[in-house]
């Protein structure tokens, strides 16, 4: 019987000004490398970076299914406690599940100075989701059953990307774009994501740090109503920004530089940040989302 391959730790750190650091949290089935494009924008503003590999990630679907949302949060917590010894101020930024995990940390550690949440997901209700994802209430009941939790689905084209070049790269080989990422979502992991989102909704009133919520108006995985649901649950100051030229993967898509600049501004960047323009992003009334 062969020995099980060891999962490669794909975490990365980049030194900044020594005072401010951002804990970058990748998404479910993702890997730290997906945070590099955003990280470059933040690093230019002087921020240090630490992108840990979350528990269960970087390996196989079976590895992921051995973990749950509490394990993902625990691994992020350990990363935060480690990083907090290195910098004076810690901020958190994450995509989808990573953003939710960042908020869970904010509720637990009020000394975290601010959070950026990209493409928050309470339900897979975007315009391009396969039918299997749409019955969230049913999935939450049955998805963790032994014979069902191992079933998985592939994210359909356009893979959360409006950028055609990146979309083509993801279609050919996601691993070449994000080393360590999975191209399939097990239903058991989706079940855990839903449980994480419910936990965040419960603890959100305890989050007093400022929160930036960035969502694409045309998010193919999660309708913008998810962003407003988070806004209404939070106990502290927050802002929702809708992007006009991205899909779900806003941290790597066509407007990722703007996303990084908005994040840097919230986190106290001193260098000039490009202002939001109607052609790039907007703060929209909630009523427009449900239309």
């Amino acid at each position: 019987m062969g020995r099980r391959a060891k999962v490669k730790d794909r975490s990365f750190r980049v030194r900044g000004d020594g005072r401010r650091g951002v804990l970058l949290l990748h998404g479910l089935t993702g890997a730290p490398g997906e945070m590099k494009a955003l990280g470059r924008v933040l690093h230019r503003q002087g921020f240090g970076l630490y992108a840990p590999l979350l528990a269960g990630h970087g390996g196989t679907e079976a590895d992921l299914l051995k973990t749950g949302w509490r394990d993902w949060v625990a691994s992020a917590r350990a990363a935060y406690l480690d990083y907090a010894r290195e910098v004076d101020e810690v901020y958190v930024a994450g995509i989808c599940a990573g953003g939710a995990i960042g908020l869970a940390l904010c509720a637990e550690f009020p000394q975290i100075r601010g959070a950026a949440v990209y493409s928050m997901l309470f339900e897979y209700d975007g315009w391009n989701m396969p039918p299997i994802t749409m019955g969230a209430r049913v999935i939450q009941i049955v998805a963790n059953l032994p014979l069902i939790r191992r079933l998985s689905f592939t994210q359909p084209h356009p893979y959360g990307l409006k950028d055609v070049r990146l979309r083509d790269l993801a279609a050919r080989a996601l691993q070449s774009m994000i080393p360590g990422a999975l191209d399939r979502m097990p239903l058991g992991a989706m079940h855990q994501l839903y449980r994480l989102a419910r936990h965040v909704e419960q603890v959100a009133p305890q989050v007093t740090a400022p929160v930036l919520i960035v969502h694409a108006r045309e998010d193919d995985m999660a309708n913008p109503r998810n962003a407003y649901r988070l806004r209404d649950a939070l106990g502290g100051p927050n802002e929702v920004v809708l992007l006009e030229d991205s899909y779900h993967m806003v941290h790597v898509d066509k407007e990722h530089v703007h996303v990084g600049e908005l994040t840097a501004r919230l986190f106290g960047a001193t260098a000039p940040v490009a202002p939001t323009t109607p052609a790039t992003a907007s703060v929209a009334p909630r009523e427009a989302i449900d239309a």
Side-chain angles (χ1 to χ4, degrees):
M1 189 173 183
R3 296 179 63 183
R4 181 176 175 274
K6 184 178 180 181
V7 173
K8 181 179 179 179
D9 182 4
R10 300 182 183 275
S11 304
F12 68 84
R13 292 184 192 239
V14 181
R15 292 187 62 85
D17 62 12
R19 184 174 63 86
R20 306 165 301 162
V22 183
L23 188 68
L24 297 170
L25 300 171
H26 65 78
L28 181 59
T29 73
E34 69 181 281
M35 308 306 295
K36 287 184 177 180
L38 177 81
R40 281 192 287 269
V41 181
L42 295 172
H43 188 252
R44 286 198 295 267
Q45 300 282 354
F47 293 95
L49 312 171
Y50 179 25
L53 180 68
L54 297 176
H57 289 74
T60 65
E61 290 180 47
D63 294 326
L64 181 59
L65 285 170
K66 290 176 183 176
T67 63
W69 71 268
R70 287 186 175 85
D71 301 304
W72 309 336
V73 172
S75 60
R77 180 187 301 117
Y80 163 71
L81 292 172
D82 179 33
Y83 199 38
R85 294 193 291 265
E86 185 177 315
V87 295
D88 298 330
E89 301 174 2
V90 178
Y91 302 84
V92 293
I95 174 69
C96 198
I101 291 168
L103 290 178
L105 293 181
C106 287
E108 185 176 354
F109 300 101
Q111 57 268 46
I112 293 176
R113 303 293 292 268
V117 181
Y118 313 129
S119 307
M120 180 63 188
L121 189 150
F122 290 101
E123 313 284 353
Y124 276 98
D125 56 358
W127 57 266
N128 195 43
M129 285 292 88
I132 194 172
T133 69
M134 300 302 287
R137 297 181 186 277
V138 175
I139 287 176
Q140 290 180 64
I141 296 172
V142 304
N144 213 38
L145 296 176
L147 296 180
I148 297 178
R149 67 190 308 268
R150 291 182 177 83
L151 298 177
S152 62
F153 66 92
T154 303
Q155 164 63 21
H157 184 277
Y159 317 109
L161 295 163
K162 200 168 187 177
D163 186 305
V164 175
R165 181 183 62 83
L166 293 178
R167 184 191 304 168
D168 290 345
L169 182 60
R172 290 195 301 271
L174 181 63
Q175 278 282 345
S176 65
M177 179 179 171
I178 307 173
L182 293 173
D183 60 3
R184 300 187 66 85
M185 170 70 76
L187 291 187
M190 183 191 295
H191 169 80
Q192 292 298 320
L193 176 58
Y194 285 141
R195 293 185 64 188
L196 169 64
R198 300 302 177 267
H199 170 73
V200 168
E201 197 163 30
Q202 291 173 357
V203 302
Q206 303 170 32
V207 177
T208 57
V211 177
L212 171 68
I213 306 167
V214 178
H215 212 98
R217 192 183 296 277
E218 297 181 273
D219 191 317
D220 53 326
M221 300 186 196
N223 187 284
R225 67 175 63 93
N226 288 270
Y228 288 94
R229 180 172 171 178
L230 176 60
R231 179 198 66 180
D232 291 348
L234 288 167
N238 61 81
E239 178 185 17
V240 175
V241 175
L242 294 185
L243 302 178
E244 304 293 346
D245 200 21
S246 300
Y247 289 158
H248 185 74
M249 302 284 279
V250 299
H251 61 316
V252 297
D253 211 348
K254 295 171 73 173
E255 296 170 284
H256 75 272
V257 172
H258 185 63
V259 172
E261 290 172 341
L262 289 170
T263 302
R265 183 172 65 188
L266 177 75
F267 293 172
T270 55
V273 177
T276 300
T277 64
T280 307
S282 62
V283 180
R286 183 172 187 174
E287 295 75 29
I289 301 307
D290 296 321

